[in-house]
Amino acid sequence: ARSPTAPSHCFAMATAFVSVSLTALLAWNASPLKSSRDPAPHTVVARPSVSHAHGTGRSTYSMGSKLWALGMGMLSAASFRSARGRAGSGRVVVKGRNYETNIKHKKGPAERKMAKITGKHLRFVMLAVREGGPDPEINRTLARCIKSALKENVPKDTIDKRIKSFVENNEQIDEIVYSGYGAGGAAVIVECATDNAVRTRTQVRDVFKECNGQIGQSGCVDHVFKKLGVLRFEDVDEEKVLEASIEAEAEVEDIRTTEDGTVEVTTLPEHFHGAASAFEATGMEPVSSEIVMKTEIEAGLNKTASYDVMKLVHELEELDDVGQVHHNASFQDGVELKYNQYGYVLPYEKAYTD
């Protein structure tokens, strides 16, 4: 579709071009003349005179007339450049298939993903401020949240403004956890941070319903998960982490080295922040630290249920108030979400046809 402003821009450009041409013509052939032979020195004759003394037959003009013509030419040229700028440097903007493909399907999803990451970290920051105050020098939990956000390219200015707004406006934010079941009996826990519990519960309930699931009573699936604090260290061996934990008297449950060489330390939730601070005091700073829900019992799903639970998790994570979504689903191989041209997840019936 042609841009609605294109016709007016084209008209402006054409008008400016004509003005430049006419002004140039006037500059050489039709400028006003002040005649030295006129009885009144200030009388202007709108007719060029011809010099016969030199026999050339060319018109002669005063310096003021030429400057006037030059000024009008410059003004017209400026109008022409301005019109081209408003028209997008002389191009007609067309929003068609190329726009849909390159902008909506590439830039749009990337921006939504970054906004989701930023929102998640800002929620953690606000909860930390609520618990320990806005000064990261005193509130070590807040300091870790800020550092984690910066690692994922959340702007420092954005974090500072959000903290300032939260404190100055005396905002209230609550943590709410919803439990429920997805398709095939998969257990799902949804962690939220919100200033309006009614709104959040309505949104979460609607997503469960849309994806063939349902919200259950609080704690109905807690037995399926084990809540743990996890600290991860890089470029250090397990022995050194163990020595540091003993030195700092950090209360940890386990220390192990993963396949990628990262040393992973697990703690009970109530000891998580204390252990993180203890390691930091010895100069060992974890590359990441978080509370996780470790699955104790998995739920194997067929193709249809796998797709529905994937869609459920995706739609829940798209909600502004949702921070973390945990599930125990074991998805069938080869199943993945499919989207329509506007970036929305298709229902299973349209995504897959047997």
Side-chain angles (χ1 to χ4, degrees):
R2 184 179 295 270
S3 172
T5 57
S8 60
H9 290 331
C10 293
F11 178 77
M13 292 171 64
T15 302
F17 183 81
V18 171
S19 298
V20 171
S21 302
L22 290 177
T23 302
L25 185 63
L26 287 172
W28 295 103
N29 295 294
S31 296
L33 172 70
K34 176 181 176 182
S35 174
S36 60
R37 293 191 299 270
D38 291 340
H42 297 293
T43 301
V44 178
V45 180
R47 176 179 55 82
S49 63
V50 179
S51 174
H52 298 284
H54 297 83
T56 62
R58 294 179 58 188
S59 300
T60 58
Y61 311 101
S62 68
M63 181 61 70
S65 300
K66 292 182 178 181
L67 289 176
W68 172 82
L70 179 62
M72 289 300 295
M74 293 176 66
L75 181 62
S76 298
S79 300
F80 177 67
R81 287 195 298 272
S82 177
R84 290 188 73 237
R86 290 193 300 270
S89 300
R91 296 175 298 167
V92 176
V93 178
V94 177
K95 293 185 178 181
R97 183 179 180 84
N98 190 59
Y99 175 84
E100 291 291 333
T101 302
N102 294 321
I103 303 302
K104 181 175 286 293
H105 295 318
K106 293 181 180 179
K107 185 177 179 180
E111 289 180 343
R112 288 199 300 272
K113 182 179 179 181
M114 190 61 216
K116 187 65 182 177
I117 291 172
T118 300
K120 179 190 74 173
H121 284 292
L122 291 181
R123 277 189 293 273
F124 289 147
V125 167
M126 295 305 97
L127 291 172
V129 171
R130 185 193 66 175
E131 296 298 325
D135 187 354
E137 294 296 325
I138 300 173
N139 187 346
R140 299 309 302 164
T141 301
L142 174 60
R144 282 192 293 275
C145 289
I146 292 175
K147 190 169 295 184
S148 178
L150 293 175
K151 285 181 180 179
E152 293 204 64
N153 299 319
V154 179
K156 182 67 163 59
D157 186 55
T158 299
I159 298 171
D160 292 339
K161 286 180 179 179
R162 187 67 188 92
I163 293 174
K164 182 179 179 181
S165 173
F166 183 81
V167 173
E168 290 181 351
N169 297 327
N170 195 27
E171 297 180 25
Q172 299 297 318
I173 186 169
D174 297 312
E175 289 181 275
I176 302 175
V177 178
Y178 297 105
S179 301
Y181 298 93
V188 181
I189 291 180
V190 187
E191 297 178 353
C192 306
T194 180
D195 58 356
N196 188 325
V198 175
R199 177 194 65 217
T200 303
R201 180 176 177 80
T202 300
Q203 292 176 343
V204 171
R205 182 191 61 210
D206 289 346
V207 171
F208 267 92
K209 184 177 180 180
E210 177 190 345
C211 300
N212 299 319
Q214 63 178 13
I215 290 183
Q217 294 182 347
S218 178
C220 66
V221 297
D222 285 358
H223 64 283
V224 176
F225 303 94
K226 184 177 181 180
K227 197 172 186 179
L228 294 171
V230 178
L231 308 170
R232 296 182 180 88
F233 299 87
E234 291 182 349
D235 301 324
V236 65
D237 57 44
E238 188 175 322
E239 184 81 17
K240 188 171 182 180
V241 175
L242 177 60
E243 291 176 359
S245 68
I246 296 173
E247 177 186 345
E249 298 182 348
E251 298 189 56
V252 301
E253 294 294 301
D254 187 30
I255 300 176
R256 70 183 187 91
T257 303
T258 62
E259 293 181 357
D260 63 358
T262 301
V263 178
E264 190 174 271
V265 178
T266 57
T267 74
L268 294 176
E270 57 268 26
H271 300 149
F272 171 69
H273 293 299
S277 298
F279 277 111
E280 289 173 357
T282 65
M284 292 189 64
E285 188 172 316
V287 293
S288 67
S289 56
E290 59 182 338
I291 301 291
V292 302
M293 303 292 282
K294 182 180 178 181
T295 301
E296 297 281 277
I297 305 171
E298 286 191 348
L301 304 178
N302 60 26
K303 186 176 182 179
T304 306
S306 293
Y307 191 90
D308 285 342
V309 174
M310 286 181 179
K311 186 173 187 291
L312 171 64
V313 173
H314 173 82
E315 298 294 349
L316 286 171
E317 290 180 340
E318 287 294 302
L319 298 179
D320 291 338
D321 295 334
V322 172
Q324 302 262 357
V325 180
H326 310 280
H327 65 84
N328 72 333
S330 176
F331 300 124
Q332 188 175 108
D333 292 341
V335 179
E336 61 181 19
L337 292 179
K338 296 190 177 182
Y339 304 83
N340 64 17
Q341 61 179 328
Y342 303 109
Y344 296 109
V345 179
L346 292 169
Y348 177 81
E349 295 75 17
K350 292 186 178 180
Y352 290 92
T353 55
D354 296 328

